[in-house]
Amino acid sequence: MIKNLNVYVADLGVTYIKLHNLHWNVTGFAFKQVHEFLEALYDDRTEKFDEVAEAIKMREEFPPASLKEFLELTQIEELPVKDYTNKEAIEIVLKDVEKTREFATELRNKADEAGDFTLVAMLEDHVAGYDKEIWFMKSMLK
């Protein structure tokens, strides 16, 4: 379970940086709205990132804590630095959030099998948050 939680921490860390890239480089008519939406997402990832790392520490293990470790573990692809249209930015983030939601659901189910109800509750909250983000982004892309 710890190995999977370490991957999740790495995914959240890389996502945090990726969201900043998009936040800084998004362009288009609805710039302000998308710029602020991306900021809200990276603020949320900061909380999740810390929460998962602390869950690992509560289990007397060490979470990854360097960019090198994050890049070795992550399932999230980095982006080049360039301009991204609003639509491109939302499509990129939607794909990542769907992938992260799927992984968090797998982790939740493994935690349930292990009887780790504290971890189950945390991950259920994460999945619920991802569901709302997915709904927002799909609505934005209509």
Side-chain angles (χ1 to χ4, degrees):
M1 190 68 191
I2 297 299
K3 181 180 176 184
N4 288 324
L5 287 174
N6 284 340
V7 171
Y8 190 38
V9 166
D11 287 351
L12 292 167
V14 171
T15 297
Y16 175 80
I17 298 299
K18 187 173 184 175
L19 286 166
H20 273 82
N21 182 352
L22 292 167
H23 170 78
W24 293 326
N25 296 305
V26 69
T27 62
F29 181 73
F31 165 79
K32 185 176 187 308
Q33 293 87 343
V34 175
H35 180 79
E36 290 174 354
F37 178 72
L38 294 168
E39 183 175 357
L41 292 180
Y42 70 66
D43 286 345
D44 175 77
R45 294 317 180 269
T46 300
E47 291 178 27
K48 285 180 172 64
F49 177 69
D50 187 57
E51 188 176 34
V52 177
E54 288 176 355
I56 293 167
K57 288 299 294 179
M58 287 169 56
R59 286 151 184 83
E60 299 184 11
E61 298 285 343
F62 288 94
S66 71
L67 296 175
K68 180 182 178 193
E69 289 174 295
F70 295 162
L71 292 173
E72 290 171 355
L73 294 168
T74 192
Q75 305 170 95
I76 302 298
E77 293 181 32
E78 289 187 292
L79 288 176
V81 176
K82 67 179 189 102
D83 284 340
Y84 292 91
T85 66
N86 292 321
K87 186 174 189 251
E88 288 174 321
I90 296 301
E91 288 172 342
I92 289 165
V93 175
L94 175 59
K95 179 182 166 193
D96 286 348
V97 173
E98 288 173 334
K99 179 184 244 181
T100 303
R101 184 208 180 279
E102 182 179 323
F103 188 57
T105 301
E106 289 174 25
L107 291 175
R108 180 258 175 237
N109 293 338
K110 289 179 182 179
D112 191 34
E113 289 172 13
D116 189 337
F117 301 115
T118 302
L119 199 53
V120 168
M122 180 190 75
L123 291 165
E124 284 178 348
D125 287 345
H126 289 201
V127 170
Y130 297 140
D131 284 345
K132 190 168 188 178
E133 292 169 1
I134 290 166
W135 169 55
F136 279 11
M137 287 183 278
K138 285 183 175 179
S139 294
M140 293 167 80
L141 291 170
K142 285 186 177 180

